[in-house]
Amino acid sequence: MSTIHTNFMETRFASRSENESFARVAVASFVSQLDPTMEELTDIKTVVSEAVTNAIIHGYEERTDGEITIRTEIDGNRISIQIEDQGVGIADVDRARQPLFTSKPELERSGMGFTIMENFMDQVEVLSAEGKGTSVRMVKDLKTHRQAVGN
């Protein structure tokens, strides 16, 4: 059994599109302590961007009075990122996860957000309830050789 303890960070911010870049940088900065490859870091930044953008556009329907919470955990070389909103929720999660499906075609959305998350991460779990919000949990095992400082 490993004696490594989980390290985590959590942040909350308004559902404003300008906060998407903050979310990417915050998670990337936290994960950087593991010295990930550039490809791993790019993948993580991309999935955070996709999940936060989904929360803003679909969860809050671009309302800026919502709140998005990100919790990132490091356990050894495993990264877990959970992004939550308390927005409108997803009526049919299985359908929403299908490539090219979008509930906002008028915004020229590609419908590839969940597909990108699934391709860049090892695990993706989506929990949602209409009127209560959505939680996206993504896990990636880094190939890094260095353990987080302080573990």
Side-chain angles (χ1 to χ4, degrees):
M1 187 78 154
S2 174
T3 59
I4 297 173
H5 300 284
T6 301
N7 188 10
F8 73 93
M9 73 93 177
E10 184 172 289
T11 187
R12 298 178 311 169
F13 52 89
S15 59
R16 303 175 67 93
S17 60
E18 57 265 36
N19 288 337
E20 176 269 331
S21 60
F22 161 75
R24 287 168 47 109
V25 170
V27 172
S29 294
F30 182 71
V31 169
S32 290
Q33 64 189 281
L34 291 180
D35 197 22
T37 66
M38 285 304 295
E39 181 180 349
E40 289 169 331
L41 202 53
T42 298
D43 289 353
I44 288 166
K45 288 164 63 174
T46 300
V47 299
V48 168
S49 179
E50 291 292 336
V52 168
T53 298
N54 277 355
I56 293 168
I57 291 174
H58 300 287
Y60 289 114
E61 299 182 322
E62 300 194 57
R63 288 187 355 256
T64 58
D65 61 342
E67 187 175 284
I68 298 170
T69 302
I70 298 180
R71 180 177 175 92
T72 305
E73 294 184 10
I74 296 173
D75 189 357
N77 288 341
R78 176 169 280 197
I79 304 299
S80 173
I81 305 165
Q82 186 164 334
I83 299 175
E84 295 181 354
D85 67 64
Q86 290 77 47
V88 300
I90 302 171
D92 185 342
V93 171
D94 290 334
R95 185 171 179 219
R97 289 179 78 155
Q98 294 303 307
L100 304 178
F101 174 80
T102 180
S103 62
K104 305 269 186 208
E106 70 279 6
L107 297 179
E108 298 183 21
R109 304 299 302 164
S110 69
M112 294 298 289
F114 285 127
T115 302
I116 290 168
M117 291 177 222
E118 290 167 352
N119 285 328
F120 288 2
M121 301 299 279
D122 296 321
Q123 298 171 28
V124 177
E125 178 181 84
V126 181
L127 301 174
S128 189
E130 284 188 274
K132 295 186 179 177
T134 301
S135 173
V136 177
R137 182 174 177 270
M138 301 171 286
V139 176
K140 185 171 189 77
D141 291 313
L142 300 183
K143 296 178 183 113
T144 184
H145 300 289
R146 194 176 110 196
Q147 297 296 318
V149 176
N151 282 344

